[in-house]
């Protein structure tokens, strides 16, 4: 039998609107890292040893010295590592660096990832996102989990006019519909 | 008809003529008109009929407080009943028709009600229509219902789309009149993020309708300059055509923005956008509403609020009459007279209830001081008025000014009670404003132009300062503090013709008196008994009049009698807008499994399981009835092998040194000693001892488990576990993360399942019964290296596995499984066959785990360990939950083999009628068992385990079917469980 | 004064001068046989039935505000007896029968309108659950009809049968259910009780209980102490704060339920329709307003108002099944405080304090229960034993585990 | 409503799921002599105050923290928001 071929939740969706672009990001690996209670220091030192940084507090993100991974602080005691997908299993890559200092769970296939970018991206997101995305309130690098059109979404600002949106894989078509409708409704 | 009442001036674009029709007649207006102003310009007086007496009614106001001029706008599915002509922006091709009449508007047959008025007084219906009893629903009520209501819904789906959104600001300014514009300038210049919203399509509020100067220029021009400055600032968002309709907790405001209502077509764009505005501070600059005065026959077309008459002349260049009289109790009425005279109108009279004239009257006008209007004439349009001094004056328009009521609506959406102010004879905001709200200008009782500008600036200044902004010092634009002296005169106390208070609901001063006479004396009783203030205008021009009559009856002051409290919305909001996009298929998200596409290609029939769509069965060629497909699928599983997508089950990744201990506490059965590489069925109770959920949990490592939950409870179980982890045992080292979406999981079930999997799982993994026995689990690879998890668990009772691959491989995996399974005759099976198989095995699902059943009811009492603490353990021991005659989950088979069982039937003893007293339980699930060749069921019945073999009735009177059934074991197939261990 | 069509005609001809106040405005006496705390629907109906059925009339009803100012003045007017459990169904069916004869009984037209209620189902398992319920109703002497899609389409052709996210498969129909004019129910009971000599005392707030040696001897009020042999509390959403004055903690939380009414429209919706899967129910009043609602806001509150998420959720539910209402406008929204109990079912019981009785825990379903609640509470007060249909409504039922949990939601009030 | 999350700042209450009185943290000892009575009182009886109320909210569409929110049940004013885990630890809960 041939090896199994992967497929992305939104088949590599991409569409341009006036000063606005919606693109599916398909090449990301995502690993959640939980810090064992009472051994937070061990994880912290493993992270700083391996990546040269401290894990971010909830709501913000930080890039490893080498540029990858980017760690997103999502909840107390837990963050996501975000990096480009490679052949090796995502958890193995993290475990190789951090050994057993944390608890790791592969989340790479759990999410559909959209990048919404362009100077009108905030205007479009205003229609579905309850958070204040003003650049002084939700700064570049900020991250939050919230709800849009009845769907849980992780929103990460990766640029002045660029956001990554992560939503559950199974409902990805509904989520895409919500984002595309926002883009259409402001045109 | 041409624009007979159009005059020069106004804020219209006369280069853009717009055609429209009213009741089929073609008319013309200009850009900048409202439907009402265009109707006035065309000399149209009669625009509708009142609710109860079907009295002829004309345009009464120039704003959103309009009680009379309600039309149905547009046609068919686009038809919008009860639309106020006074706030409808005119567009080319507009179609409007009047409402609530039988026959033509002019000759409404229902006008007969007016002659029956003595019998239709307030609350008459509570006292009659009771005999004969049966007549209420058959005769009286249908007649009442068909004559009630105003406009008509088309009955068709709303063809427009709507959207919603979220906005954030430091300071929200509600209303863009003089106070609002001044507040916005002041707030914006301080650097705060400002939103300025106004319901009108043109900012300026009364600056657009008055002739008074601001900063040496016309009010309208000053407003335009202010708007231009605000528009140039990127910390300001201007929202015209936007009504702030409600004030909610913590500075959240509801706003409705009308996007395409002023256009002929919405062209696929949202008609309206509903915004939730999060503000740190809000400044209410909503202005004031003029009120009327109640006097005899004060409801005729042509009788209007004075400020509105003035507005039509000044802003819209439309004169509501050729010969206009003014009836006032305050100085403002005089300004109407002088403005109208300046436009060349013939001022017939000024009637003032006060003794001394404050200003000079226009030339030619009769001035009657200390007088009032007692009656009017003119059925379809005003012809004359009669004064208290006996004079009759001919006129076709009467401008009435009863003083101004501050628009305090939003201030009382939470707890605030407005307070009375004698000097303006009106209610102003009280002390308990919504947190963060300030009020400025006329809304705050500051009724002069200069005061409004000043308050707007001051309140914005203070709000900005509170938020830490440095307010800029600005020079207040010069304006006059015009004369606004008023008197508390609300209604003409005379035993003349009926004096209307609530124009739309036809509540008269007599009705208020009757309400008092019958003991309905509190404001709330008055409102409910007479329907005062409950029409589409919510009594904006009427409430205070009603209150004044009641106060007089009570012999007390108005504030002693009561206040008028307003509830959201400020003006009515389309239900479609409040629903936004959530309609049709977009009502809620749809969740799809990774095998969905493949199932579609196989023509699967899908079913909703919560938000999931799951394949219900897979019809094959020649199958015409669903049972054929389902029977085939179930039989194939029992005989060979089938595959079912079980991805929808919740999966929770649980890690930590205390993970085993944690599971031991949240499951009623023991988990502490589950070996690595094994799976265990777990039963989860609520704290009240009822079964909450069940599922299997696999131990992948010393500190690593994967729990499965039922599809329906995935979210609530996760929440519950987080509660246990954070609130009950915060000292345990345990971490949870949902893995439901990460894995595509397939049940491979049937005697050939191992054979099939041997072709899937890479050869280095030993799948023999010895190496990988029943309830084993492990991490394997499939198809040459794809990581995978394998669980040997069985829901069907057959030799079975569940295999999970990362979701990105789900689609490829199902196709590959079907390909390699071909030699075994593998079938995909859906939720129906799954259900047949589990009922044959007696496994409970949501029908049985309905939140009303205990472990004991389910026959699982041995799974509630008494040796440890766990959620639900203690309260599961309560006496009634352990009574001797408690329920037990049993199997049921029809006594007559060919009869079909029905779920929802209740059990009674054979010799007893089906009544509540004899009710012994109910059937939870039924299926046709192709294995046994007859219908089978599961159900709860009292003392079931002692009654195996007994025949009882399954009563289903709802469907007219009662049959005899035999109580049997719930395990119909392979009760010893040999197959799954093979 | 007896009301009738003839009377209306006569008064119409003579200037409506002869109408008398519907109730007296008496000063409170020093003592009564029974003091009822709460002049809402249940309190007034209790007084009415005590007088009419049990011949007791030395009774006062004490109301903090105006008569009928509680939840009877702010609900969506639905009456029905489509319950599932044997602890509930016979009680609500008793209530239904009382509704059916109510107007002739108290000579007031409360506009009881039996235009039916339909609960929609969207899946086979929901249908099965409704079948269980429908059978339980019929077994208790109520009426129920299971409609399939064709039967439902006939009654409600405007439902979105083709494009709904959760396909509409049919409904459980109770033809005898319907609506009643809520304020008129309060006024009818008040008038009836007043005519039997009951003192209805408005603007009289109970500020404490007179409890001596475990016996309740009456109440302290804003208008002085009032003694009573029996004190019967019946204050719905205020249960928690009133009973705390007697030192009691209850299996009740107070939550806000919002309700909505549209502008008046010509008749478009026949009876009551409920869409449980989408948290929406609707009917149309005789005046033409669409009256609708959905879930409670979900957090403890004593404020008679709600917030936007539920407003939007309810309207979404409406548009999901009947998109024809999109262009109807919501006119007014308001909230009432619900006495949400731990199993979703009420209490009509003695307390551990002699002479102190409690009626509450009606959740958002108190209106339909108004007649039976008053009837059974009157029975308990007059005879000191529960009426058979209300025997399960005990305050101590959770100790033994006799929950009456229609939804199976467990001890979490905001889920019922 | 807006809940001022101690870690995240102000968030719309619709991101949260409400449970009830914060006394639900104080789960009784299952081995106490009157455990059944204690569990009954714990699970079923409420102060249900008109005024300040300490209550549990779960940030389901957020950081998955359980919070203890002190909110006035008459005005809805929120005066304090704490992580429930911290509160539980303070109240002596541990393993």
């Amino acid at each position: 039998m041939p090896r199994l071929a992967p497929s992305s939740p939104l088949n590599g969706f991409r569409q341009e609107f006036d000063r606005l672009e919606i693109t599916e990001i398909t090449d990301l690996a995502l690993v959640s890292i939980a810090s064992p209670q009472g051994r937070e220091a061990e994880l912290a030192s493993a992270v700083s040893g391996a990546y040269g940084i401290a894990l971010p507090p909830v709501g913000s993100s930080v890039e490893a010295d080498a540029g990858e991974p980017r760690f997103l602080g999502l909840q107390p005691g837990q963050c996501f590592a975000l990096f480009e997908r490679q052949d090796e299993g995502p958890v193995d890559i993290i475990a190789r660096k951090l050994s057993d200092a944390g608890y790791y769970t592969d989340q790479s296939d759990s999410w559909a990832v959209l990048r919404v970018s362009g100077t009108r991206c905030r205007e479009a997101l205003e229609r579905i996102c309850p958070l204040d995305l003003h650049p002084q309130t939700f700064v570049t690098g900020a991250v939050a989990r919230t709800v849009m059109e009845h769907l849980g979404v992780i929103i990460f600002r990766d640029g002045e006019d660029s956001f990554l949106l992560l939503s559950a894989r199974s409902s990805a078509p509904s989520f895409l519909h919500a984002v595309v409708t926002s883009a259409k409704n402001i045109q | 008809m041409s624009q007979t009442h159009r005059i020069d001036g106004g804020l219209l674009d006369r280069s853009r003529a717009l055609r429209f029709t009213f009741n089929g007649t073609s008319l013309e207006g200009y850009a900048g008109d409202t439907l009402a102003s265009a109707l006035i310009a065309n000399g149209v007086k009669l625009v509708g009929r009142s609710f109860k007496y079907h009295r002829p009614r004309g345009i009464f106001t120039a704003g959103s407080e309009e009680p009379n001029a309600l039309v149905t706008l547009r046609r068919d599915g686009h038809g919008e009943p009860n639309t106020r002509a006074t706030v409808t922006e005119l567009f080319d091709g507009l179609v409007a028709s009047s409402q609530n009449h039988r026959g033509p508007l002019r000759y409404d047959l229902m006008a007969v009600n007016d002659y029956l008025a003595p019998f239709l007084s307030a609350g008459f219906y509570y006292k009659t229509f009771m005999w004969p009893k049966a007549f209420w629903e058959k005769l009286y009520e249908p007649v009442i219902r068909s004559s009630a209501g105003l406009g008509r819904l088309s009955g068709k789906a709303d063809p427009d789309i709507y959207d919603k959104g979220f906005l954030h600001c430091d300071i929200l300014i509600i209303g863009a009149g003089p106070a609002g514009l001044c507040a916005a300038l002041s707030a914006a210049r301080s650097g705060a993020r400002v939103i300025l919203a106004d319901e009108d399509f043109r900012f300026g509020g009364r600056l657009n309708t008055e002739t008074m100067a601001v900063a040496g220029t016309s009010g309208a021009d000053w407003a335009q300059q202010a708007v231009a400055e605000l528009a140039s600032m990127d910390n300001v968002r201007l929202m015209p055509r936007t009504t702030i309709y409600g004030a909610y907790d913590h500075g959240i405001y509801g706003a409705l923005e009308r996007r395409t209502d002023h256009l002929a077509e919405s062209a696929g764009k949202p008609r309206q956008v509903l915004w939730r505005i999060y503000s740190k501070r809000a400044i209410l600059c909503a202005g004031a509403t003029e009120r009327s005065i109640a006097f005899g026959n004060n409801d005729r077309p042509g009788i209007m609020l004075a400020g509105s008459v003035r507005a039509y002349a000044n802003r819209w260049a439309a004169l509501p009459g050729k010969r206009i009289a003014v009836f006032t109790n305050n100085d403002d009425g005089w300004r109407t007279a002088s403005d109208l005279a300046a436009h060349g109108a013939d001022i017939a009279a000024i009637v003032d209830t006060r003794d001394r004239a404050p200003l000079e009257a226009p030339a030619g006008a009769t001035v009657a001081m200390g007088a009032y209007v007692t009656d009017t004439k003119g059925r379809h349009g005003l012809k004359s008025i009669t004064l208290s001094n006996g004079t009759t004056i001919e006129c076709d328009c009467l401008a009435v000014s009863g003083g101004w009521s501050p628009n305090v609506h939003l201030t009382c959406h939470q707890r605030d009670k407005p307070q009375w102010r004698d000097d303006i004879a009106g209610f102003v905001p009280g002390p308990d404003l919504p947190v963060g709200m300030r009020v400025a200008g006329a809304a705050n009782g500051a009724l002069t132009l200069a005061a409004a500008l000043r308050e707007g600036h001051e309140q914005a200044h203070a709000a900005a300062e509170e938020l830490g902004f440095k307010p800029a010092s600005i020079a207040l634009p010069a304006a006059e503090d015009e004369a606004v002296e008023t008197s508390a005169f609300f209604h003409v106390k005379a035993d003349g013709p009926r004096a209307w208070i609530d124009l739309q609901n036809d509540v008269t001063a007599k009705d208020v008196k009757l309400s008092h006479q019958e003991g309905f004396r509190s404001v709330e009783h008055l409102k409910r008994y007479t329907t005062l203030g409950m029409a589409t205008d919510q009594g904006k021009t009427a409430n205070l009049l009603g209150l004044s009559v009641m106060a007089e009856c009570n012999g007390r002051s108005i504030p002693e009698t009561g206040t008028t409290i307003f509830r959201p919305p400020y003006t009515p909001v389309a239900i479609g807008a409040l629903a936004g996009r959530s309609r049709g298929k977009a009502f809620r998200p749809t969740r799809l499994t990774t095998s969905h596409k493949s199932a579609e290609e196989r023509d699967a029939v899908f079913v909703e399981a919560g938000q999931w769509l799951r394949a219900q069965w897979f019809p094959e060629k020649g199958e015409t009835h669903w049972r054929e497909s389902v029977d085939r699928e179930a039989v194939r599983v029992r005989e060979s092998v089938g595959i079912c997508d079980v991805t929808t089950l919740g999966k929770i990744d649980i890690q930590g040194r205390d993970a085993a201990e944690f599971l031991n506490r949240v499951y009623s059965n023991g988990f502490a000693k589950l070996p690595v590489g094994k799976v265990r069925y777990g039963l989860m109770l609520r704290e009240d001892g009822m079964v909450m959920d069940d599922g299997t949990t696999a131990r992948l490592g010393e500190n690593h488990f994967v729990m499965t939950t039922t599809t329906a409870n995935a979210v609530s179980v996760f929440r519950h576990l987080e509660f246990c982890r954070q609130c009950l045992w915060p000292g345990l080292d345990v971490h949870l993360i949902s893995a439901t979406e990460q894995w595509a999981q397939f049940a491979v079930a049937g005697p050939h399942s191992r054979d099939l999997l041997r072709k899937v799982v890479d050869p280095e993994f030993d799948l023999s019964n010895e190496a990988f026995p029943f309830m084993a689990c492990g991490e394997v690879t499939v198809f040459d290296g794809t990581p995978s998890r394998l669980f040997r668990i069985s829901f069907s009772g057959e030799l079975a596995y569940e295999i999970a691959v990362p979701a990105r491989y789900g689609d490829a995996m199902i196709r590959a499984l079907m390909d390699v399974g071909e030699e075994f005759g593998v079938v995909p099976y859906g939720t129906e066959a799954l259900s047949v198989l589990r009922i044959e095995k007696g496994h409970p699902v949501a029908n049985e785990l309905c939140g009303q059943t205990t472990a004991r009811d389910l026959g699982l009492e041995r799974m509630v360990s008494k040796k440890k603490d766990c959620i639900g353990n203690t309260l599961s021991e309560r006496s009634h939950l352990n009574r001797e005659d408690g329920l037990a989950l049993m199997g049921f088979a029809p006594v007559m083999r060919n009869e079909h069982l029905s779920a929802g039937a209740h059990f009674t003893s054979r010799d007893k009628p089906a009544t509540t007293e004899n009710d012994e339980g109910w059937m939870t699930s039924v299926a046709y068992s192709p294995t046994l060749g007859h219908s089978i069921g599961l159900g709860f019945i009292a003392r079931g385990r002692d009654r195996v073999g007994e025949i009882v009735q399954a009563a289903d009177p709802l469907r007219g079917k009662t049959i005899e059934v035999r109580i049997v074991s719930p395990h119909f197939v392979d009760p010893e469980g040999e197959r799954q261990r093979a | 004064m007896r009301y009738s069509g003839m009377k209306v005609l006569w008064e119409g001809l003579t200037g409506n001068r002869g109408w008398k106040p519907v109730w007296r405005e008496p000063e409170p006496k020093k003592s009564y046989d029974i003091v009822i705390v709460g002049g809402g629907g249940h309190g007034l109906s209790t007084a009415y039935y005590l007088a009419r059925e049990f011949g007791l009339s030395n009774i006062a009803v004490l109301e903090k505000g105006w008569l009928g100012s509680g939840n009877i003045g702010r609900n969506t007017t639905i009456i029905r007896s489509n319950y599932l459990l044997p602890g509930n169904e016979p009680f609500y069916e008793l209530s239904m029968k009382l509704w059916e004869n109510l107007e002739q009984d108290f000579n007031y037209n409360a506009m009881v309108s039996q235009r039916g209620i339909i609960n929609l189902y969207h899946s086979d398992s929901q249908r099965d659950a409704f079948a269980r319920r429908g059978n339980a109703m019929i077994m208790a002497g109520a009426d129920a009809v299971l409609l399939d899609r064709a039967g439902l389409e006939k009654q409600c052709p405007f439902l979105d049968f083709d494009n709904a996210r959760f396909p509409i498969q049919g409904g459980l129909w109770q033809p005898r259910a319907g609506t009643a004019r809520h304020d008129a129910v309060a006024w009818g009971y008040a008038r009836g009780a007043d005519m039997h000599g009951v003192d209805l005392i408005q603007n009289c707030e109970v500020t404490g209980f007179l409890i001596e040696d475990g016996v309740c001897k009456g109440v302290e009020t804003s208008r002085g102490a009032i003694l009573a042999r029996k004190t019967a509390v019946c204050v719905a959403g205020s249960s928690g704060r009133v009973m705390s004055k007697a030192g009691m903690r209850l299996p009740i939380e107070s939550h806000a339920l919002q309700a909505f009414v549209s502008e008046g429209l010509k008749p478009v919706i026949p009876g009551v329709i409920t869409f449980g899967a989408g948290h929406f129910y609707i009917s149309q009043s005789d005046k033409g307003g669409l009256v609708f609602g959905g879930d409670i806001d979900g957090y403890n509150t004593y404020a008679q108002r709600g917030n936007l998420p539920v407003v939007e959720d309810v309207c979404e539910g409406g548009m999901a099944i009947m998109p024809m209402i999109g262009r109807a406008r919501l006119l007014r929204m308001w909230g009432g405080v619900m006495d949400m109990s731990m199993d979703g079912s009420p209490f009509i019981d003695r307390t551990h304090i002699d002479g102190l009785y409690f009626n509450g825990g009606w959740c958002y379903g108190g209106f339909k229960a108004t007649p039976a609640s008053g009837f059974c509470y009157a029975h308990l007060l007059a005879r000191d034993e529960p009426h058979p249909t209300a025997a399960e409504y005990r305050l101590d039922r959770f100790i033994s585990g006799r929950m009456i949990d229609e939804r199976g939601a467990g001890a979490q009030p905001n889920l019922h | 409503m807006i809940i001022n999350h101690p870690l995240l700042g102000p968030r719309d209450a619709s991101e949260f799921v409400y449970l009830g009185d914060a006394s639900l943290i104080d789960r009784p000892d299952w081995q106490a002599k009157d455990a059944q009575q204690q569990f009954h009182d714990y699970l079923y009886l409420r102060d249900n105050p008109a005024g300040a109320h300490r209550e549990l909210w779960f940030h389901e569409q957020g950081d998955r923290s359980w919070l203890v929110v002190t909110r006035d049940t008459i005005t809805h004013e929120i005066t304090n928001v704490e992580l429930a885990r911290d509160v539980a630890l303070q109240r002596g809960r541990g393993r």
Side-chain angles (χ1 to χ4, degrees), chain A residues 135-156:
Chain A
Q136 278 154 27
T137 311
F138 198 79
V139 299
T140 299
V143 62
R145 188 164 9 206
T146 183
V147 61
M148 303 184 193
E149 291 290 296
H150 309 289
L151 288 164
V153 178
I154 294 173
I155 178 168
F156 164 51

Side-chain angles (χ1 to χ4, degrees), chain B residues 100-360:
Chain B
N100 201 33
H101 48 88
R102 285 194 195 152
L105 174 60
R106 228 178 152 74
Y107 307 104
D108 178 8
L109 295 173
M110 294 297 286
V112 67
N113 281 5
D114 201 21
Y115 298 101
L116 301 175
F119 313 109
L120 308 182
S121 61
F124 77 97
Y125 30 75
Y126 300 128
K127 301 165 183 163
T128 180
F129 300 137
M130 288 177 274
W131 306 269
K133 194 175 149 188
F135 273 36
W136 170 249
E137 263 134 21
K138 295 206 170 61
L139 178 66
Y140 304 136
E141 191 184 33
V143 169
I144 291 176
R145 286 177 79 82
S146 69
S147 28
L150 293 163
R152 192 178 294 280
L153 279 181
S154 70
K156 295 178 185 140
D158 186 344
D160 274 312
I161 62 168
Y162 298 86
D163 207 355
K164 288 187 190 174
F166 304 86
L167 297 174
H168 303 259
C169 65
D170 294 312
I171 303 178
L172 167 67
I173 294 159
I174 303 161
L181 286 172
C182 223
L185 285 172
S186 185
R189 288 172 186 165
S190 79
R193 289 166 70 192
V194 172
I195 292 176
L196 175 63
D198 195 290
E199 60 181 350
D200 204 334
F201 56 90
R202 186 185 178 103
F203 277 178
R206 290 208 66 84
L207 290 172
N208 294 328
T209 66
E210 307 292 3
T211 51
M212 287 177 297
V214 178
T217 179
S218 82
D221 284 347
W222 183 83
Q224 291 305 99
Q225 288 164 18
V227 170
E229 180 184 339
L230 291 166
S232 72
M233 302 168 85
D234 62 8
N235 56 332
V236 177
R237 185 181 186 119
L238 298 177
M239 301 183 75
R241 301 188 177 93
T242 301
T243 305
I244 306 295
Y245 65 83
Y248 296 89
D249 281 320
H250 307 155
I252 301 177
Y253 290 81
L256 181 76
E257 183 184 13
R258 290 169 291 278
R259 304 278 287 204
T260 67
D261 282 355
H262 60 294
L263 305 173
E265 303 279 345
S266 52
K269 296 297 172 211
R271 175 165 94 96
Q272 299 174 342
V273 179
L274 190 91
W275 298 101
R276 214 181 276 181
I277 301 179
Y278 298 82
S279 72
K280 297 195 177 94
R281 293 290 183 279
I283 305 175
L284 180 69
C285 306
T289 300
E290 200 170 12
R291 24 174 214 268
S292 183
I293 297 173
F295 54 88
N297 286 318
N298 60 335
D299 66 328
R300 299 194 191 282
I303 299 178
M304 299 171 66
L305 292 179
S308 302
V309 174
R310 189 162 86 218
Y312 283 118
N314 288 339
R315 174 173 169 183
W316 286 289
L319 271 186
K322 300 283 186 195
R323 191 172 151 74
I324 302 175
V326 174
F327 177 28
T328 185
N329 65 3
N330 66 80
D331 295 354
D332 194 62
W334 290 74
R335 207 142 50 80
T336 298
S338 62
D339 278 14
L340 292 173
H343 284 292
D346 178 5
I347 303 300
I350 298 180
V351 183
D352 194 325
T353 58
R354 302 170 300 172
D355 293 332
R356 248 184 312 195
L359 298 161
E360 201 154 313

Side-chain angles (χ1 to χ4, degrees), chain A residues 1-2 4, chain B residues 643 756 760 783 810-822:
Chain A
M1 284 302 290
L4 297 177
Chain B
I643 294 175
L756 190 156
V760 172
F783 294 113
D811 180 64
M813 181 72 170
I814 183 66
R815 293 170 195 277
L817 285 170
M818 293 307 295
D819 284 349
V820 302
E822 209 172 336

Side-chain angles (χ1 to χ4, degrees), chain B residues 345-410:
Chain B
D346 178 5
I347 303 300
I350 298 180
V351 183
D352 194 325
T353 58
R354 302 170 300 172
D355 293 332
R356 248 184 312 195
L359 298 161
E360 201 154 313
T366 305
V367 175
M369 297 307 300
Y372 40 88
V373 180
T374 55
D375 196 5
T376 69
K377 289 215 160 42
R379 180 145 185 82
H380 293 132
L382 184 67
K383 293 212 166 73
S384 69
I385 58 174
T386 306
L387 306 189
S388 49
N389 58 20
T391 330
T392 294
I393 293 169
E394 290 192 1
C395 56
D396 59 354
C397 174
L398 177 64
V400 183
S401 181
W404 293 79
S405 296
N407 288 334
V408 299
H409 304 68
L410 288 163

